[in-house]
Amino acid sequence: MSAGQYTVTIEQGATFSRACVYKDSGGTPIDITGCTLRMDIREYAQDPTALIQLTIGNSRITITDAVNGAFSLDILAVDTATLVFENGVYDLEMEFPSGEVRRLIEGPVQMSYGVTL
C-alpha cells in the first residue's frame, strides 16, 4: 500500500496534535502492538538535519490504543514556537516487530506564523 498524502499546517506557538488510526484499505483498524513510529519534518527531503523529529521515545508520538491502530502526534506549543521555516516536507513511518517498515503518510508542511506573543 502506498503512503497517503496529507498536507500538515503547524501554527507557530500553538500546540500541534493529531489523533490517527492506521486502517487497511477496507477501513478495518490494524493492530500496531509492538510497533514503533517515527516522523521527521525537514525543509526538503534530502536535508541532513530535521527541523523536528517525532518519536515514541521523545513523547511526540503516543500509541493510544494499539489493538485498534490508534496513536497521536503531538508537538508542544513551546516547541512549535521555536520552529522557523515556511515550507517543508515530512513522512511518518511505522516499524513492525518483524522489522518491516511502512511509510504511512507523507507530504508538505506549512508554517502558519503567530502574531500574538
Side-chain angles (χ1 to χ4, degrees), residues 21-43:
V21 177
Y22 185 40
K23 299 177 181 179
D24 66 18
S25 59
T28 302
I30 296 173
D31 186 344
I32 59 172
T33 300
C35 293
T36 59
L37 293 113
R38 56 188 172 257
M39 178 176 158
D40 282 1
I41 297 175
R42 300 175 186 267
E43 285 197 76

Side-chain angles (χ1 to χ4, degrees), residues 10-16 75-84 111-117:
I10 296 175
E11 296 174 332
Q12 186 182 44
T15 300
F16 173 86
I75 307 173
L76 298 175
V78 68
D79 294 325
T80 66
T82 65
L83 293 175
V84 181
M111 175 60 71
S112 173
Y113 284 101
V115 176
T116 303
L117 300 177

